[in-house]
Amino acid sequence: MANAYTVLVVDDEPPILRFLRTSLAAVGHRVVTAEDAAGALAALISEKPDLIILDLGLPDRSGIEVIGEIRKRSPVPIIVLSARDDERSKVEALDLGADDYISKPFGMAELTARLRAALRHAFQAQGEIPVFASGELIIDLASRQVTRAGEPVKLSPKEFELLRHLVAHAGKVLTHRQLLREVWGPAQAEEVQYLRVFIRGLRQKLEADPTRPTHILTELGVGYRLQLPPEQRAPMS
């Protein structure tokens, strides 16, 4: 990674804290640690981290509660790192504002790649990406034009709005509820089958093989992720 960032790691397992402190410092980051929710919220104010890696199983408060508290104070990217691998925990964490969710045990290459994607999304959120390009797919948000292999792709207004939201959060998992709420409104936030129909339609138009999508990926039981271009998702060394 070309730039160093301050990363706050919140976990009550000393071996995990030591491992992440050593591994992230080795690639140039400044690492701050906390073992509980109180320490995490204090460090959020005093250290102003660029990114937070958060365990859900903390001794004083639930990590889910901590996500909510952080979001009241800061838009800082949050990557949940937890032994909880159930869909309910993932959806709840992401709906509350976490940027990504990685289950323990984890690989360092995956974690650092997700860290980079979360930071990139934070920077993108300051202003929408004017053009998203990945392989043969080009999405120009400003002109509302989409092409695949040089050929124009016709999208309905709702299809484009759904795609625009995926592009604005490229690389980030968006839950079913988040997408439904943002594109169709709060009244439709539980209509998951409705969303699946539109995702299927987008894949028919955007993917070379809709049965094996490479752009719009499914996070089973959770939601969808617009895959970053290959050059942007390679693991950091």
Side-chain angles (χ1 to χ4, degrees):
M1 204 167 188
N3 299 310
Y5 298 94
T6 296
V7 180
L8 171 60
V9 180
V10 187
D11 201 299
D12 65 343
E13 297 183 56
I16 295 290
L17 288 180
R18 287 195 297 270
F19 172 71
L20 289 176
R21 182 189 297 115
T22 301
S23 300
L24 292 172
V27 292
H29 298 303
R30 174 175 175 262
V31 182
V32 179
T33 62
E35 297 182 2
D36 54 26
L41 295 174
L44 175 68
I45 297 171
S46 63
E47 304 293 340
K48 295 181 172 56
D50 297 296
L51 181 135
I52 298 174
I53 297 174
L54 174 69
D55 183 24
L56 294 184
L58 301 177
D60 53 346
R61 293 179 69 179
S62 164
I64 294 292
E65 293 180 17
V66 175
I67 294 171
E69 290 296 324
I70 291 171
R71 281 292 166 260
K72 292 177 184 177
R73 299 168 168 81
S74 171
V76 60
I78 302 170
I79 296 179
V80 171
L81 184 63
S82 178
R84 301 182 193 176
D85 195 28
D86 59 291
E87 292 176 0
R88 182 176 179 179
S89 293
K90 291 182 179 180
V91 170
E92 190 173 8
L94 291 166
D95 272 344
L96 280 172
D99 291 79
D100 212 336
Y101 193 113
I102 301 176
S103 300
K104 296 178 181 177
F106 62 95
M108 199 61 205
E110 178 187 12
L111 176 61
T112 50
R114 300 282 189 96
L115 182 151
R116 182 173 66 178
L119 286 168
R120 180 181 296 108
H121 175 255
F123 297 138
Q124 291 170 351
Q126 299 172 12
E128 277 192 349
I129 314 169
V131 177
F132 176 89
S134 182
E136 296 182 334
L137 178 64
I138 299 176
I139 304 165
D140 189 327
L141 295 180
S143 65
R144 298 178 69 88
Q145 293 182 344
V146 180
T147 60
R148 183 168 71 84
E151 295 296 321
V153 177
K154 293 183 179 180
L155 301 178
S156 71
K158 280 297 183 187
E159 285 177 331
F160 185 85
E161 181 62 16
L162 176 58
L163 183 59
R164 185 198 66 76
H165 203 70
L166 288 166
V167 169
H169 299 83
K172 177 180 177 180
V173 180
L174 295 174
T175 67
H176 302 124
R177 189 176 295 110
Q178 285 173 321
L179 285 167
L180 285 162
R181 188 175 57 237
E182 293 297 327
V183 179
W184 282 275
Q188 305 295 325
E190 304 301 325
E191 300 293 334
V192 176
Q193 188 56 40
Y194 193 57
L195 174 61
R196 290 191 181 120
V197 170
F198 274 82
I199 290 291
R200 190 180 305 122
L202 280 177
R203 284 173 170 162
Q204 290 289 339
K205 296 178 179 182
L206 303 181
E207 302 281 0
D209 181 357
T211 65
R212 301 177 64 185
T214 59
H215 298 300
I216 302 175
L217 306 185
T218 298
E219 297 284 341
L220 286 176
V222 179
Y224 300 96
R225 178 201 304 265
L226 181 65
Q227 181 74 291
L228 290 168
E231 66 273 13
Q232 294 186 24
R233 62 177 184 260
M236 295 178 295
S237 59

